[in-house]
Each structure stands twice: as structure tokens, then as C-alpha cells.
């Protein structure tokens, strides 16, 4: 597999919305992180799974939800809820973290939370875009492909930037190692000369030379 094909596949995988089910227990916190690029929109939907749909959720099946940016800024906060949604545009690149907290309860309760997290192309509401723009689904698919292509281009550009940074770091490290090696050689040579001088002085004092 070529590097370009690998990059394209990885980018497409990252852009597909992630849907998952989390198992929680009273007093337990679970967090999930996603690497989101700056100016990318992200959408998250969560809901506590009702073990018996014929009845209301018990009081123990409540959660606290927080979403924080890479620098610790709050993007979403909800307390004592059964379900919710967050939508925001990333103001910085990096790992955004969503934490689900099951408050303490006696006796402890176990339950599940369905969570779907989309970002980038998949986070857009294409159906609404189609209605507003009065365009058919074929045009919507074309726009999706254009957005995916742009995302791939951004990913490749970022990979090149990271590669350049790594190369600069390697050059800097090699230069420091070379300087350290030279300093070690000079120090070792100086110690050797000092030892020879000391040995010569000792032998002269003993009149062995």
C-alpha cells in the first residue's frame, strides 16, 4: 500500500462519525478524546440507555457531561441529565475530551450511554444544506467529496509540517550530540594529559627519570 493511499484511508476513517456505547457505574468517570482541527465543526449526541423502555429511567441513571478543549476551556457542560447534544467549532487544534460522570448512588447502579461524535465533513447537516440550497443529493455527494478532498489536503499539509519539524528536531539533536561528543573528547584528552603530567612529576621526584 502506498503512503498516499494510507493517508487517504486514515483520513477517511478519522472523518467518519464515531458511534459507541459506554458502560458506566455510579461514582465512575469515563473520558474519550478526539483530535479535532481548528475551524472544524464537531457534533456530539449522548443518551442514557433505558433498560426498560416501558418505564421511566430510574433516578440513578443520570450523568454529568463535560467537553474541554486541548487548553482546558469548557465547550459543553451538563448536569444530572439523561440525554443531550453539543455543537461547536474548534477554536484550536488538538485533543478535545468528553467526560461522562455517573454520580455516586446507593446502591451503585450500572447502566450504558450511547454516544455519537462527529467532526469535520461528517458533522455537517447535509440534508438541511440540500433543502436550503435546493440542490439534489448528487450535488450533495459532490460537495461531500470536495470537503473530504480538502480535509485530505489539510491532513497531508499537516503531515508535511510535522515531518519538517521532526527533521529540524533531528538536525538540532545531531548538532547537540556532536557538540557533546567533542566536549567529551576534549575533557577526556585533558584528563589524560593531566594524568601524564602528574605521573611524570611523580617519577621525577622519585628520581626514576
Amino acid at each position: 500500500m502506498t503512503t498516499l493511499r494510507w493517508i487517504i484511508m486514515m483520513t477517511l476513517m478519522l472523518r467518519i462519525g464515531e458511534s459507541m456505547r459506554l458502560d458506566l457505574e455510579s461514582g465512575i468517570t469515563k473520558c474519550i478524546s478526539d483530535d479535532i482541527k481548528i475551524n472544524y465543526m464537531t457534533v456530539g449526541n449522548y443518551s442514557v440507555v433505558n433498560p426498560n423502555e416501558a418505564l421511566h429511567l430510574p433516578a440513578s441513571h443520570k450523568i454529568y457531561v463535560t467537553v474541554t478543549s486541548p487548553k482546558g476551556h469548557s465547550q459543553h457542560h451538563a448536569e444530572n441529565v439523561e440525554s443531550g447534544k453539543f455543537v461547536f467549532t474548534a477554536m484550536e487544534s488538538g485533543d478535545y475530551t468528553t467526560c461522562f460522570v455517573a454520580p455516586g448512588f446507593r446502591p451503585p447502579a450500572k447502566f450504558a450511554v450511547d454516544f455519537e461524535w462527529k467532526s469535520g465533513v461528517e458533522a455537517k447537516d447535509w440534508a438541511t444544506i440540500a433543502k436550503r440550497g435546493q440542490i439534489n443529493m448528487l450535488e450533495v455527494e459532490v460537495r461531500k467529496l470536495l470537503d473530504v478532498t480538502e480535509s485530505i489536503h489539510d491532513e497531508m499539509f499537516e503531515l508535511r509540517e510535522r515531518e519538517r519539524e521532526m527533521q529540524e528536531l533531528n538536525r538540532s539533536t545531531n548538532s547537540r550530540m556532536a557538540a557533546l561528543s567533542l566536549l567529551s573528547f576534549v575533557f577526556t584528552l585533558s584528563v589524560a594529559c593531566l594524568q601524564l603530567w602528574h605521573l611524570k612529576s611523580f617519577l621525577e621526584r622519585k628520581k626514576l627519570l
Side-chain angles (χ1 to χ4, degrees):
M1 181 183 294
T2 64
T3 302
L4 180 58
R5 287 180 61 191
W6 180 85
I7 292 173
I8 292 174
M9 289 181 64
M10 289 300 295
T11 303
L12 291 173
M13 289 174 64
L14 287 172
R15 294 293 166 258
I16 295 175
E18 298 180 0
S19 181
M20 64 199 77
R21 174 165 291 188
L22 307 174
D23 293 322
L24 292 180
E25 184 177 354
S26 299
I28 299 298
T29 299
K30 284 192 176 181
C31 297
I32 300 171
S33 295
D34 189 19
D35 184 14
I36 304 175
K37 309 305 177 187
I38 190 171
N39 294 328
Y40 274 21
M41 185 173 74
T42 183
V43 178
N45 291 281
Y46 54 88
S47 62
V48 176
V49 177
N50 192 340
N52 189 344
E53 295 184 357
L55 302 174
H56 291 293
L57 280 170
S60 58
H61 289 44
K62 304 286 185 179
I63 55 175
Y64 289 65
V65 185
T66 60
V67 182
T68 54
S69 71
K71 295 183 179 179
H73 300 141
S74 177
Q75 301 292 331
H76 176 75
H77 182 81
E79 297 184 2
N80 204 35
V81 296
E82 299 174 357
S83 62
K85 178 178 182 179
F86 59 82
V87 180
F88 62 87
T89 300
M91 301 304 294
E92 55 194 84
S93 296
D95 287 333
Y96 285 75
T97 304
T98 301
C99 289
F100 297 90
V101 182
F105 199 85
R106 288 288 180 266
K110 293 183 178 181
F111 55 93
V113 176
D114 283 336
F115 181 44
E116 184 179 36
W117 198 355
K118 297 179 179 180
S119 61
V121 176
E122 291 299 322
K124 292 184 178 180
D125 188 350
W126 292 102
T128 302
I129 293 174
K131 289 180 181 178
R132 289 178 179 175
Q134 295 183 347
I135 57 180
N136 57 41
M137 292 309 297
L138 179 59
E139 291 176 300
V140 170
E141 291 300 322
V142 171
R143 290 192 180 186
K144 280 186 180 181
L145 288 175
L146 289 174
D147 279 359
V148 169
T149 302
E150 184 178 353
S151 297
I152 293 172
H153 177 268
D154 292 341
E155 291 286 343
M156 293 180 67
F157 179 77
E158 184 177 353
L159 286 173
R160 285 197 296 267
E161 285 295 311
R162 289 182 180 179
E163 182 181 4
R164 183 182 61 81
E165 292 175 359
M166 289 300 297
Q167 289 176 347
E168 291 180 356
L169 179 61
N170 288 337
R171 282 195 292 267
S172 176
T173 302
N174 291 337
S175 298
R176 291 179 181 178
M177 289 300 296
L180 182 61
S181 298
L182 179 61
L183 181 62
S184 299
F185 174 76
V186 172
F187 178 77
T188 302
L189 185 61
S190 300
V191 172
C193 291
L194 183 61
Q195 288 178 336
L196 287 174
W197 175 80
H198 179 73
L199 178 60
K200 181 181 178 182
S201 300
F202 174 76
L203 292 177
E204 286 179 348
R205 287 198 303 272
K206 297 296 184 179
K207 297 182 179 180
L208 297 176
L209 286 180

